Amino acid sequence: RGPRMESLPEAVLIRILASIPAVDLVLVCRLVCCQWKNLVDGAALWILKCQQEGLTGAEAEEDAENWQNFYFLSKKKRNLIKNPCGEEDFQDWGEVENGGDGWKIEELPGDFGKEFPSEEVHKYFVTSYEWCRKSQVIDLRAEGYWEELMDTTQPKITVKDWYAGRSDAGCLYELCVKLLSEHEDVLAEYKSETIAIPEDSDADWTEISHTFSHYGPGARFVRFEHGGQDTLFWKGWYGVRVTNSSVTVEP
C-alpha cells in the first residue's frame, strides 16, 4: 500500500490540490478533513493557483489580502455591460428619455467624427436635439458575485464610458452610476458634471471613469445611465455620441 494522503508533506499536498478546479476545492475538498479545510482556506494554495494561471503580478502580491477572493474575482473579471457598442441594436438597454428624434446607432467614424481609439469598436449610440438617456441595470448576484463577497470584501467596481461630439455641432453629455441594495436603496452614486462640447471641437473620443470602493455592505445592483443632446437643436442626430461603456468588478 502507498502512503496515505495525510502523510504527504504539506507543500506536496498543496501542489496536488492546486491541480483541482477551484469550485471543487471550495465545495468538495474543503469538506474532506480539517487539514484540507485549512489548506483551502489558506493563502498558499491560492497563490500557487494564481501563479499557475498567470493571475499574479507585483501589485497583486502586495494588495491581495484574501487570495481565494482574488483568484475568483480575477477569473470572473469582464465587462458586465451588455451590448456596449450597439452591435445588437438597443438590446439590453432601457430608454429613460428619448427626446427629439430619439436615440440612433451609427457606424464609426460618422459624419464630422473621428475613428475610435480601438479597432474593435465599430458603432456608437447618438443623441438628438432634446435629452436622450438610456440605462442598464446589472444584477451582481446573477453575474456570479455572491453576497458575502460583496458585503465583506467589497471589491472595487470600475465604471467607464466614452463620449464624443461632432466637429460641426455642440452637445452635452452626462453619466450617472448608482450602487443599489436588494430593495434598490442607493448605497453610492457617481454623477458627472454636465459636460459641454463646443461646436468647433476636434470630435476626439474622450474616456470618463470612476471607481467605487468602501461602499459598505448590501450592494446587489449597478445602475448605469448616460445620455445627452445637441446644443443647436438641429433636427436629426447631432448630439453626443457614446460607446464602449463598461462596468467591471476588480480583483
Side-chain angles (χ1 to χ4, degrees), residues 133-172:
R133 305 179 198 269
K134 60 184 178 69
S135 67
Q136 193 168 137
V137 177
I138 297 163
D139 183 336
L140 293 170
R141 285 176 295 192
E143 296 293 343
Y145 298 97
W146 57 100
E147 294 182 5
E148 183 183 1
L149 174 74
M150 299 307 302
D151 293 346
T152 58
T153 302
Q154 295 175 32
K156 292 179 180 179
I157 299 174
T158 299
V159 178
K160 297 181 181 181
D161 200 20
W162 288 81
Y163 65 90
R166 297 167 56 115
S167 59
D168 65 340
C171 60
L172 303 175

Side-chain angles (χ1 to χ4, degrees), residues 26 40 60 184 189 194 211 230:
V26 174
V40 173
E184 300 187 5
E189 179 178 6
T194 300
T211 298
D230 79 41

Side-chain angles (χ1 to χ4, degrees), residues 174-221:
E174 286 183 0
L175 170 66
C176 181
V177 186
K178 299 176 182 179
L179 303 187
L180 305 176
S181 72
E182 183 172 3
H183 302 293
E184 300 187 5
D185 299 315
V186 178
L187 304 178
E189 179 178 6
Y190 168 74
K191 187 171 184 178
S192 73
E193 60 182 348
T194 300
I195 298 171
I197 303 173
E199 59 185 278
D200 59 350
S201 75
D202 53 16
D204 284 337
W205 286 92
T206 300
E207 183 184 53
I208 183 172
S209 67
H210 176 77
T211 298
F212 293 97
S213 60
H214 307 295
Y215 41 79
R220 301 292 181 263
F221 301 95

Side-chain angles (χ1 to χ4, degrees), residues 15-226:
R15 288 200 167 272
I16 294 172
L17 291 174
S19 65
I20 297 173
V23 173
D24 292 332
L25 285 173
V26 174
L27 298 182
V28 180
C29 297
R30 190 174 178 274
L31 307 179
V32 170
C33 63
C34 289
Q35 183 190 23
W36 286 29
K37 178 181 182 298
N38 291 335
L39 291 178
V40 173
D41 289 346
L45 171 59
W46 297 99
I47 290 174
L48 179 57
K49 283 190 73 67
C50 287
Q51 291 172 341
Q52 289 175 340
E53 299 183 36
L55 302 178
T56 60
E59 292 182 3
E61 292 177 11
E62 292 174 4
D63 297 340
E65 295 180 3
N66 185 323
W67 278 90
Q68 185 181 132
N69 284 345
F70 175 82
Y71 175 87
F72 281 107
L73 285 169
S74 297
K75 297 291 283 187
K76 286 179 177 294
K77 185 177 178 180
R78 65 197 186 282
N79 185 6
L80 301 178
I81 290 284
K82 297 177 174 62
N83 187 26
C85 305
E87 294 291 346
E88 299 168 352
D89 200 40
F90 288 96
Q91 183 175 320
D92 298 304
W93 290 98
E95 293 177 352
V96 180
E97 283 188 66
N98 210 21
D101 288 320
W103 284 95
K104 185 183 179 185
I105 296 171
E106 295 181 344
E107 298 274 349
L108 280 159
D111 294 339
F112 296 91
K114 293 280 186 69
E115 289 288 357
F116 192 77
S118 169
E119 295 181 356
E120 296 177 359
V121 178
H122 306 289
K123 295 182 179 181
Y124 58 84
F125 302 92
V126 58
T127 59
S128 190
Y129 58 87
E130 291 179 354
W131 271 98
C132 297
R133 305 179 198 269
K134 60 184 178 69
S135 67
Q136 193 168 137
V137 177
I138 297 163
D139 183 336
L140 293 170
R141 285 176 295 192
E143 296 293 343
Y145 298 97
W146 57 100
E147 294 182 5
E148 183 183 1
L149 174 74
M150 299 307 302
D151 293 346
T152 58
T153 302
Q154 295 175 32
K156 292 179 180 179
I157 299 174
T158 299
V159 178
K160 297 181 181 181
D161 200 20
W162 288 81
Y163 65 90
R166 297 167 56 115
S167 59
D168 65 340
C171 60
L172 303 175
Y173 166 82
E174 286 183 0
L175 170 66
C176 181
V177 186
K178 299 176 182 179
L179 303 187
L180 305 176
S181 72
E182 183 172 3
H183 302 293
E184 300 187 5
D185 299 315
V186 178
L187 304 178
E189 179 178 6
Y190 168 74
K191 187 171 184 178
S192 73
E193 60 182 348
T194 300
I195 298 171
I197 303 173
E199 59 185 278
D200 59 350
S201 75
D202 53 16
D204 284 337
W205 286 92
T206 300
E207 183 184 53
I208 183 172
S209 67
H210 176 77
T211 298
F212 293 97
S213 60
H214 307 295
Y215 41 79
R220 301 292 181 263
F221 301 95
V222 180
R223 187 180 190 278
F224 180 103
E225 178 181 315
H226 62 180

